[in-house]
Amino acid sequence: MESEFSSSGSKRDRDGNSKDGPVGEQPEDELTIPRAAMNKMIKELLPNIRVANEARELVLNCCSEFIHLISSESNDICNNQQKKTISAEHVLLALEKLGYGDFRKDAEEVLTECKETAAKRRRQSTKLENLGIPEEELLRQQQELFAKAREAAALQEMQQEHYGVGIDSGGQAQDSVSEEESEY
């Protein structure tokens, strides 16, 4: 594979075509991984090691280039199969084709975890639907509960203001007169 940067300082894409601009500078329209996310990953992986800003920037650029390389190859595989959507299998084949076959097992494990998480989210979102109560009825019940709570709060506030009586957490009326005042 060709070097990412030529000696003249211009950047090259995966096909070796020159991209204008100084080394390390990315065009405004090129997407990168957010620095905060990268810093968090570095901190989690290397908690007791200081990493220079220049090294962080290099890791960020390497990650972005790796993603671009895998995405481009996945897209080529997808197009060769006359598909319109890049699938996970296209990405796994791209890893193999580019010589990153060692990553395939890890990538498949992450894919399985993602599928399980997505399925769990779908199951949780359908719990509401499985109640058998229409959404309009649930909304009406919610509004009714809110109205009752507002009425109870207003009643309690009114009792405290006018009578000096509050309601304790057990629903029992409390006299707001202190023990000192009641002795007289």
Side-chain angles (χ1 to χ4, degrees), residues 74-136:
S74 299
N75 187 48
D76 291 347
I77 292 170
C78 179
N79 288 336
N80 289 339
Q81 293 180 358
Q82 297 179 343
K83 303 285 183 179
K84 293 185 178 185
T85 304
I86 297 173
S87 70
E89 189 57 36
H90 296 138
V91 176
L92 295 172
L93 288 172
L95 284 171
E96 294 280 343
K97 188 172 180 182
L98 293 169
Y100 297 106
D102 295 346
F103 293 129
R104 186 176 179 117
K105 183 180 177 190
D106 292 332
E108 287 172 339
E109 288 174 5
V110 169
L111 178 62
T112 301
E113 288 175 21
C114 289
K115 286 180 178 180
E116 288 171 358
T117 301
K120 185 177 179 182
R121 284 186 186 151
R122 281 192 301 272
R123 284 191 303 271
Q124 287 176 342
S125 69
T126 59
K127 284 181 182 177
L128 187 62
E129 296 165 4
N130 292 337
L131 288 175
I133 302 172
E135 189 174 339
E136 295 80 20

Side-chain angles (χ1 to χ4, degrees), residues 12-178:
R12 298 194 175 274
D13 65 13
R14 74 180 190 93
D15 297 323
N17 300 324
S18 179
K19 294 181 184 178
D20 293 333
V23 175
E25 253 187 47
Q26 295 185 359
E28 289 181 27
D29 61 340
E30 190 172 324
L31 299 175
T32 62
I33 299 169
R35 281 183 172 74
M38 181 59 63
N39 289 337
K40 183 179 178 186
M41 283 187 266
I42 291 171
K43 190 175 276 189
E44 287 175 1
L45 293 171
L46 306 169
N48 299 323
I49 298 176
R50 290 182 55 191
V51 180
N53 287 337
E54 187 175 300
R56 289 175 189 269
E57 191 69 28
L58 180 60
V59 169
L60 183 70
N61 288 335
C62 289
C63 290
S64 296
E65 286 301 316
F66 180 76
I67 291 168
H68 177 75
L69 181 68
I70 297 297
S71 300
S72 296
E73 190 61 39
S74 299
N75 187 48
D76 291 347
I77 292 170
C78 179
N79 288 336
N80 289 339
Q81 293 180 358
Q82 297 179 343
K83 303 285 183 179
K84 293 185 178 185
T85 304
I86 297 173
S87 70
E89 189 57 36
H90 296 138
V91 176
L92 295 172
L93 288 172
L95 284 171
E96 294 280 343
K97 188 172 180 182
L98 293 169
Y100 297 106
D102 295 346
F103 293 129
R104 186 176 179 117
K105 183 180 177 190
D106 292 332
E108 287 172 339
E109 288 174 5
V110 169
L111 178 62
T112 301
E113 288 175 21
C114 289
K115 286 180 178 180
E116 288 171 358
T117 301
K120 185 177 179 182
R121 284 186 186 151
R122 281 192 301 272
R123 284 191 303 271
Q124 287 176 342
S125 69
T126 59
K127 284 181 182 177
L128 187 62
E129 296 165 4
N130 292 337
L131 288 175
I133 302 172
E135 189 174 339
E136 295 80 20
E137 175 62 18
L138 289 171
L139 184 59
R140 187 193 63 74
Q141 289 177 3
Q142 181 185 40
Q143 294 300 326
E144 189 177 299
L145 289 170
F146 286 156
K148 286 180 182 179
R150 282 191 294 270
E151 286 176 21
L155 178 63
Q156 184 177 7
E157 186 178 316
M158 188 174 73
Q159 286 177 343
Q160 286 176 346
E161 288 177 2
H162 295 300
Y163 305 111
V165 175
I167 306 294
D168 67 9
S169 61
Q172 300 295 318
Q174 286 183 318
D175 192 356
S176 64
V177 178
S178 69

